[in-house]
Amino acid sequence: HHFHFYALAQQQSDTLLPWRQHQSANGLRRQKRDWVIPPINVPENSRGPFPQQLVRIRSDKDKEIHIRYSITGVGADQPPMEVFSIDPVSGRMYVTRPMDREERASYHLRAHAVDMNGNKVENPIDLYIYVIDMNDNRPEFINQVYNGSVDEGSKPGTYVMTVTANDADDSTTANGMVRYRIVTQTPQSPSQNMFTINSETGDIVTVAAGLDREKVQQYIVIVQATDMEGNLNYGLSNTATAIITVTDVNDNPPEFTTSTYSGEVPENRVEVVVANLTVMDRDQPHSPNWNAIYRIISGDPSGHFTIRTDPVTNEGMVTVVKAVDYEMNRAFMLTVMVSNQAPLASGIQMSFQSTAGVTISVTDVNEAPYFPTNHKLIRLEEGVPTGTVLTTFSAVDPDRFMQQAVRWETRYSKLSDPANWLNINATNGQITTAAVLDRESDYIKNNVYEATFLAADNGIPPASGTGTLQIYLIDINDNAPELLPKEAQICEKPNLNVINITAADADIDPNVGPFVFELPSVPSAVRKNWTITRLNGDYAQLSLRIMYLEAGVYDVPIIVTDSGNPPLYNTSVIKVKVCPCDENGDCTTIGAVAAAGLGTGAIIAILICIIILLTMVLLFVVWMKRREKERHTKQLLIDPEDDVRDNILKYDEEGGGEEDQDYDLSQLQQPETMDHVLNKAPGVRRVDERPIGAEPQYPIRPVIPHPGDIGDFINEGLRAADNDPTAPPYDSLLVFDYEGSGSTAGSVSSLNSSSSGDQDYDYLNDWGPRFKKLADMYGGGEED
């Protein structure tokens, strides 16, 4: 049979019959749509007891067969698990624990009905469960502290900031509707209600005039948010802090702390701070509203001063940027104005205290005298007599007002006068010549002589200035011409070969050329042998007049005259070598020697000189040698009769001992074993090894010496040494010798020494004059 479903909620028993059947009147069965089950509402935070029954679900087939009920979905068999449960037999549905709408606001489950075999009896039905909101959440502010700012002097209604609180409860109900209010404001100045808050949006705005940063820089406002639409009786509340900073506007003009300032400045100095101007500005320090800018509005037309701002203190530093002159201005009266970097806020007027007067007095400083015409140039003829007055080179002292009476007190002196030609009068600056000025001197550059002078005043300390005097010397004809060249050569027969001559003159135009060249009338041979032909103003030619002149050197005098007024002349001699020539007109080699004029006599004389020189050198060397010898013999052969002093003879130093040299001394010693020598191939031998052989017997020195013995002993020892193959040196480079393990000489202690004085020393007298002193000391002891 067919089913049609409907749902019936009986409030009394809360039984749902979603699967009821309807029979139509005419017996025809018609299928109706499933009924929609109305949602089940469950309040959150229920206290129980749990499980708490919500509804009962039934199918009307449960009369015929046993039916098992079940539910599926989130909250039943899907996490969160078993929030809801159903009794499989009775169909009663329970909630097992308290709900939290903020965790989950609704559940969607499906109810199923099956028989005992698990076959579906009915179609599943949808169940909707809604959690009803309770006011269990306070409003929460996003931040605990909010920072905002507002300009001082703002009009009422100026927006400051927004605070926001969120409530987790249902915002469609009063539980989640938040309202704001201001609880407190600190400080309560100038009034306790400076700000208001829009209760719904949380916007804070100003509500009163009178915000002044210079009085209150910061307000702390406590804001409260309450749900239940702000009902304080049963709404939940929370608070937050709003910090409102009052920002600075330029509503205070800078003001000078006094109306007049004064300062002092020395003349001729720059970058000196003359006065410090102090200002007061109540705006925010080190901001454009506080930083001062100073302007000089009158009293300094030439721009001697500027005012710089000290970045730390904001003071105005009146600084000299263009040197002041006491003789021009003794004082300055400045009017100064101060303003800020930022313009003043609208409606704020400049203060009359924003201008001030600055009085600056200039102090006089001793200034150096100066020469008004420095680099003074005068023109003058050279050669003026000593003592001539040239000019007065006077200086001016700028200190007109000083008590120096400077005009009389400037002292003049020379600073540089390379040729020492000038004098200056110390009091009036008159310059006179101390010597004759010569334009041709080395001290003259381009006809100008330059000297520098010093003018000093009598201030404390004195100041001085320098001036340069330039003297342009006008040339006079004071230098005769000089003939050039000084020597020449010419062939003995006249041909094309001639001598070009010219002249040099230290003067300048017009006291130089054209020159006149002429031969003197005496001696007459000159004009007979030679002739001069003029080429142009400066040049002429000298040539032979006769057909043949014997080879040799001739001195030809020539008179040269310049064009000065009056003209000067000079007789110069030119040395002319006359020599035999080849066909080209050049001197031949033989000719050159002959022309040089060295006769045989001259050559012999030179040779004799050389020989004499050599002889002298030889004699000197021989004499030095002899002197050296004498000195040596003198040292050794001092007669002991004449010289009673003990003589200490100094011998040549022989250099350092072993310690100074880095020698390997093992090379110099005879090793204890001679294997390495013996094992060598015969005939191979090192020169620096000691040969092996019988040691010769050296004579043993007698205990008591006898004059005759000593000579024999020495000779015998010498002979033994000469014949000894083992005696050093084995190699001339080796200076040391291995002395062997034992000594051939007797022990020194075997020499008997007696202090009894019974020894006979008379034999010392036979040893000759050298030992006389010894004999006296020992032999003649009893006589004394």
Side-chain angles (χ1 to χ4, degrees):
H1 61 230
H2 270 290
F3 305 103
H4 61 260
F5 308 107
Y6 68 96
L8 176 66
Q10 291 167 311
Q11 287 303 123
Q12 299 87 347
S13 62
D14 262 348
T15 303
L16 294 183
L17 291 167
W19 303 287
R20 277 293 277 286
Q21 277 204 326
H22 268 249
Q23 195 91 31
S24 70
N26 58 10
L28 287 171
R29 300 184 196 93
R30 99 190 134 80
Q31 188 169 350
K32 270 192 161 183
R33 288 188 46 224
D34 290 0
W35 283 61
V36 176
I37 302 294
I40 303 159
N41 290 323
V42 183
E44 62 172 335
N45 307 322
S46 166
R47 300 236 179 128
F50 296 103
Q52 187 178 3
Q53 184 178 335
L54 295 179
V55 290
R56 182 174 173 209
I57 295 169
R58 270 187 66 220
S59 165
D60 51 8
K61 289 189 189 158
D62 63 355
K63 297 185 178 77
E64 301 154 27
I65 51 172
H66 287 293
I67 292 175
R68 306 291 263 179
Y69 298 101
S70 63
I71 52 172
T72 59
V74 173
D77 62 343
Q78 291 171 39
M81 308 278 269
E82 296 172 0
V83 176
F84 302 99
S85 64
I86 195 164
D87 183 322
V89 180
S90 68
R92 290 176 203 279
M93 195 167 110
Y94 300 96
V95 60
T96 62
R97 53 178 180 263
M99 298 283 179
D100 184 357
R101 190 201 69 85
E102 284 72 48
E103 206 176 288
R104 193 174 185 92
S106 67
Y107 295 88
H108 174 204
L109 302 175
R110 304 192 94 176
H112 306 269
V114 294
D115 63 16
M116 297 307 268
N117 296 324
N119 299 316
K120 188 168 75 174
V121 176
E122 306 282 3
N123 284 331
I125 193 90
D126 287 308
L127 296 173
Y128 290 96
I129 299 159
Y130 289 121
V131 183
I132 301 164
D133 185 37
M134 298 284 174
N135 189 17
D136 59 343
N137 284 281
R138 289 179 179 280
E140 294 288 344
F141 281 100
I142 296 171
N143 301 321
Q144 208 40 54
V145 178
Y146 289 84
N147 285 297
S149 64
V150 62
D151 281 347
E152 59 175 329
S154 293
K155 290 200 285 289
T158 306
Y159 170 80
V160 181
M161 63 201 293
T162 301
V163 297
T164 309
N166 293 329
D167 193 317
D169 290 323
D170 189 351
S171 59
T172 61
T173 68
N175 297 340
M177 289 182 185
V178 180
R179 297 293 180 265
Y180 302 94
R181 71 188 193 94
I182 288 174
V183 187
T184 59
Q185 162 204 316
T186 23
Q188 300 188 345
S189 150
S191 76
Q192 58 183 19
N193 295 321
M194 294 301 292
F195 304 98
T196 187
I197 190 163
N198 180 315
S199 64
E200 293 187 19
T201 61
D203 291 351
I204 300 175
V205 292
T206 60
V207 73
L211 285 171
D212 187 352
R213 188 202 70 86
E214 284 73 48
K215 294 200 178 87
V216 179
Q217 295 188 15
Q218 195 179 69
Y219 290 93
I220 294 174
V221 174
I222 307 293
V223 182
Q224 187 182 57
T226 308
D227 60 15
M228 301 305 284
E229 296 186 272
N231 186 314
L232 294 173
N233 293 326
Y234 46 87
L236 298 173
S237 299
N238 235 329
T239 59
T241 306
I243 298 173
I244 300 169
T245 306
V246 182
T247 49
D248 186 42
V249 299
N250 194 10
D251 56 348
N252 289 280
E255 297 181 339
F256 285 109
T257 53
T258 174
S259 56
T260 54
Y261 296 87
S262 62
E264 192 176 73
V265 60
E267 62 174 334
N268 308 324
R269 291 271 302 279
V270 290
E271 292 304 323
V272 181
V273 175
V274 181
N276 276 359
L277 314 181
T278 49
V279 290
M280 175 68 201
D281 191 323
R282 297 205 303 277
D283 290 318
Q284 174 90 45
H286 303 289
S287 74
N289 298 335
W290 178 83
N291 293 341
I293 294 171
Y294 298 88
R295 281 205 330 277
I296 299 170
I297 47 180
S298 71
D300 184 22
S302 315
H304 288 288
F305 302 97
T306 189
I307 306 178
R308 296 175 185 150
T309 307
D310 183 313
V312 179
T313 63
N314 217 25
E315 288 180 6
M317 300 179 290
V318 182
T319 311
V320 187
V321 286
K322 193 167 135 191
V324 293
D325 185 356
Y326 176 81
E327 285 72 37
M328 299 283 288
N329 303 84
R330 294 205 199 181
F332 290 88
M333 299 288 292
L334 311 180
T335 308
V336 176
M337 191 174 112
V338 64
S339 58
N340 291 129
Q341 273 179 2
L344 284 173
S346 60
I348 307 290
Q349 295 301 311
M350 279 294 291
S351 162
F352 69 94
Q353 285 173 292
S354 293
T355 54
V358 184
T359 309
I360 297 168
S361 54
V362 182
T363 54
D364 198 2
V365 172
N366 183 22
E367 292 166 280
Y370 66 95
F371 291 90
T373 52
N374 203 338
H375 280 72
K376 182 173 185 171
L377 180 69
I378 56 170
R379 292 172 70 83
L380 178 73
E381 267 196 0
E382 63 171 330
V384 293
T386 303
T388 306
V389 175
L390 301 186
T391 182
T392 299
F393 196 22
S394 56
V396 178
D397 194 317
D399 297 310
R400 296 199 299 275
F401 306 109
M402 278 218 171
Q403 269 68 73
Q404 299 183 105
V406 177
R407 273 179 215 83
W408 318 115
E409 293 296 346
T410 304
R411 311 290 294 172
Y412 297 95
S413 56
K414 279 199 299 187
L415 196 59
S416 85
D417 176 16
N420 261 332
W421 282 345
L422 307 174
N423 286 329
I424 187 161
N425 182 313
T427 51
N428 62 11
Q430 195 180 66
I431 294 173
T432 52
T433 58
V436 175
L437 277 58
D438 180 10
R439 194 200 65 81
E440 286 75 40
S441 156
D442 291 341
Y443 297 110
I444 302 283
K445 302 269 182 295
N446 301 330
N447 305 324
V448 175
Y449 180 67
E450 204 167 272
T452 52
F453 297 93
L454 198 66
D457 63 20
N458 62 339
I460 300 163
S464 59
T466 59
T468 304
L469 179 69
Q470 294 178 317
I471 304 170
Y472 183 94
L473 290 174
I474 301 160
D475 187 39
I476 60 168
N477 193 19
D478 55 349
N479 285 276
E482 283 282 323
L483 186 74
L484 290 176
K486 294 274 183 270
E487 40 189 70
Q489 61 179 32
I490 199 166
C491 295
E492 33 183 36
K493 297 187 176 67
N495 56 356
L496 305 171
N497 188 324
V498 289
I499 298 165
N500 281 339
I501 55 173
T502 184
D505 192 322
D507 292 320
I508 53 166
D509 198 61
N511 297 321
V512 284
F515 300 108
V516 176
F517 302 92
E518 50 192 340
L519 294 166
S521 45
V522 264
S524 53
V526 176
R527 285 198 174 186
K528 194 175 81 189
N529 293 345
W530 305 91
T531 182
I532 286 179
T533 324
R534 190 164 181 271
L535 287 178
N536 60 17
D538 292 345
Y539 287 89
Q541 284 182 341
L542 175 68
S543 55
L544 277 174
R545 189 172 193 160
I546 51 173
M547 289 315 287
Y548 172 76
L549 189 61
E550 188 186 337
V553 178
Y554 292 85
D555 285 350
V556 182
I558 296 175
I559 301 163
V560 191
T561 311
D562 65 22
S563 302
N565 183 19
L568 288 181
Y569 68 88
N570 180 18
T571 304
S572 299
V573 172
I574 181 169
K575 270 194 189 314
V576 183
K577 268 190 207 166
V578 178
C579 59
C581 293
D582 53 21
E583 60 275 9
N584 302 330
D586 297 325
C587 262
T588 56
T589 342
I590 314 137
V593 175
L598 268 188
T600 325
I603 291 164
I604 289 167
I606 288 167
L607 280 171
I608 288 168
C609 279
I610 291 167
I611 290 162
I612 288 168
L613 246 171
L614 283 169
T615 315
M616 280 171 75
V617 168
L618 256 164
L619 281 169
F620 180 71
V621 168
V622 170
W623 178 73
M624 282 296 282
K625 277 249 165 73
R626 282 196 56 181
R627 226 178 112 193
E628 190 75 10
K629 230 177 191 167
E630 277 174 14
R631 215 167 76 230
H632 267 267
T633 46
K634 212 179 203 159
Q635 269 186 358
L636 294 169
L637 302 176
I638 293 173
D639 194 343
E641 296 292 346
D642 306 338
D643 194 305
V644 292
R645 289 168 304 163
D646 290 345
N647 290 297
I648 296 168
L649 300 183
K650 186 177 186 305
Y651 296 92
D652 283 341
E653 289 284 346
E654 293 204 353
E658 287 102 321
E659 294 88 343
D660 293 0
Q661 317 289 340
D662 203 7
Y663 294 134
D664 178 7
L665 295 183
S666 64
Q667 295 291 337
L668 307 176
Q669 297 179 344
Q670 171 155 357
E672 292 300 332
T673 80
M674 301 300 291
D675 296 352
H676 67 293
V677 180
L678 300 172
N679 295 347
K680 271 189 201 159
V684 179
R685 203 171 148 262
R686 271 170 48 176
V687 288
D688 57 351
E689 283 176 353
R690 179 177 177 161
I692 307 147
E695 297 241 346
Q697 283 300 306
Y698 281 82
I700 293 162
R701 189 173 175 182
V703 178
I704 298 163
H706 181 271
D709 290 350
I710 288 172
D712 296 347
F713 177 79
I714 290 169
N715 288 332
E716 211 174 314
L718 186 62
R719 207 178 308 110
D722 283 347
N723 300 328
D724 182 3
T726 65
Y730 320 126
D731 182 352
S732 57
L733 288 177
L734 295 176
V735 192
F736 304 96
D737 186 25
Y738 172 71
E739 293 194 343
S741 40
S743 172
T744 53
S747 166
V748 181
S749 59
S750 66
L751 295 174
N752 292 337
S753 170
S754 167
S755 54
S756 55
D758 52 7
Q759 182 85 17
D760 182 14
Y761 293 108
D762 291 345
Y763 59 83
L764 290 170
N765 291 318
D766 310 341
W767 285 10
R770 288 275 184 103
F771 293 87
K772 190 172 185 305
K773 192 103 181 156
L774 201 61
D776 289 352
M777 284 166 67
Y778 281 85
E782 285 80 32
E783 285 86 53
D784 293 39

